[in-house]
Amino acid sequence: MTLYRATDAADMVPMLIAAYCQRVGMVADTLESYLQASQQHDGAAGPTDAERSHLAGLLGEEAPKAAGERGLSRIRYRRGQHWAENAQELEEDPQKLFTKACLHGLKARLCDDVDALDSYLPPHVAEMARKVAGVLEMPQTAPA
């Protein structure tokens, strides 16, 4: 059931964030680059060797045999290692903070618990997440 819900979220969340970005006036080319449509693949086949390699890198495990070969699996393994190392550092990248705020704002709105944002987020992220939750709160009516 967790994978079922995660798949639903993976399909829905990027488009909600994209809709918000359009609403606040993000340049179309920038939004298109963030969506990375050219890098998407069908999930019906399950995880690929490259994705299993990426996970091993994230978890600090040895590279799977496929990652020892040149190619995408090796790149993804090293990327996983890099992300795991960077996760230990403070996250001040504005794009990452914005994404984090969007996800927390969406969760707070869905759970109807916007006030809880202040209890577990840094103040600047909580403020952005409140704005996202606020936009999701009001139903938008079409102009007459």
Side-chain angles (χ1 to χ4, degrees), residues 47-69:
T48 64
D49 287 340
E51 288 156 341
R52 285 188 281 277
S53 295
H54 193 163
L55 178 64
L58 284 169
L59 297 176
E61 298 173 351
E62 287 188 32
K65 289 183 182 182
E69 304 166 6

Side-chain angles (χ1 to χ4, degrees), residues 28-109:
D29 290 341
T30 302
L31 178 58
E32 193 174 308
S33 73
Y34 289 169
L35 288 173
Q36 299 179 351
S38 64
Q39 296 180 15
Q40 295 180 11
H41 72 279
D42 182 12
T48 64
D49 287 340
E51 288 156 341
R52 285 188 281 277
S53 295
H54 193 163
L55 178 64
L58 284 169
L59 297 176
E61 298 173 351
E62 287 188 32
K65 289 183 182 182
E69 304 166 6
R70 296 184 148 235
L72 183 60
S73 292
R74 180 127 182 102
I75 291 168
R76 294 289 300 270
Y77 177 74
R78 294 207 184 264
R79 183 181 297 162
Q81 287 179 315
H82 178 72
W83 286 6
E85 291 166 5
N86 287 341
Q88 304 303 317
E89 299 173 11
L90 288 176
E91 198 173 281
E92 291 299 324
D93 179 355
Q95 293 172 359
K96 291 179 183 178
L97 291 174
F98 176 72
T99 302
K100 188 176 186 177
C102 286
L103 293 174
H104 283 290
L106 176 61
K107 178 184 174 190
R109 176 54 46 219

Side-chain angles (χ1 to χ4, degrees), residues 104 107-108 113-127 129-130:
H104 283 290
K107 178 184 174 190
D113 195 12
V114 177
D115 293 332
L117 292 169
D118 294 325
S119 64
Y120 62 90
L121 291 175
H124 62 290
V125 178
E127 181 181 343
R130 282 182 174 282

